[in-house]
Amino acid sequence: MRSLPLLLLGAVLLVAATLPEGTSAKWTAANPHGVVIQQVGRFAVIVYDLAHRAGMTYVGVARGETEEAVGGGTIYRLVVAAAKPDGSRAQYECLVWGVPGSSLTTWKLCRFRKIAMA
């Protein structure tokens, strides 16, 4: 029974030792006017709005970055602008994971939060 924690620790160390060096992902700037980036931004606002019934509409992408995800796909970190029914607008930071060219059901909105304006 005492050897189980040691066995688990050994397995974790073995996996960590076999990972290739330099596997840290790097964020790459994305063109906020690019078609895919615009689609991902629109997806983020629509999914958030459907889940929270906020009445938001997509305005555009202010800036964005992409990163290859471990295990496949792409992570998109975007700042999107959205409007509320009263006409007010705000910017939101969103994080979306997906595989370009795949079906909509494989995409996930991981984070969507309002950016505090200074």
Side-chain angles (χ1 to χ4, degrees):
M1 198 63 142
R2 288 185 177 175
S3 64
L4 184 60
L6 290 175
L7 186 61
L8 289 174
L9 178 62
V12 168
L13 291 174
L14 179 64
V15 169
T18 59
L19 289 174
E21 288 187 42
T23 57
S24 63
K26 298 191 183 341
W27 289 100
T28 304
N31 176 4
H33 305 293
V35 174
V36 173
I37 298 301
Q38 290 288 318
Q39 290 174 340
V40 172
R42 188 177 310 275
F43 167 83
V45 172
I46 289 170
V47 168
Y48 181 83
D49 185 60
L50 287 172
H52 298 278
R53 298 182 183 180
M56 300 172 94
T57 56
Y58 171 78
V59 175
V61 176
R63 64 181 180 273
E65 300 173 296
T66 62
E67 176 181 75
E68 287 188 37
V70 175
T74 303
I75 302 170
Y76 299 85
R77 185 167 56 187
L78 307 176
V79 173
V80 298
K84 292 189 176 183
D86 64 3
S88 65
R89 292 183 177 192
Q91 289 189 333
Y92 300 84
E93 178 189 38
C94 60
L95 196 67
V96 177
W97 174 88
V99 179
S102 68
S103 69
L104 189 59
T105 57
T106 61
W107 287 77
K108 293 184 179 15
L109 177 61
C110 303
R111 180 174 58 212
F112 192 94
R113 63 181 176 205
K114 187 174 183 179
I115 297 174
M117 304 305 267

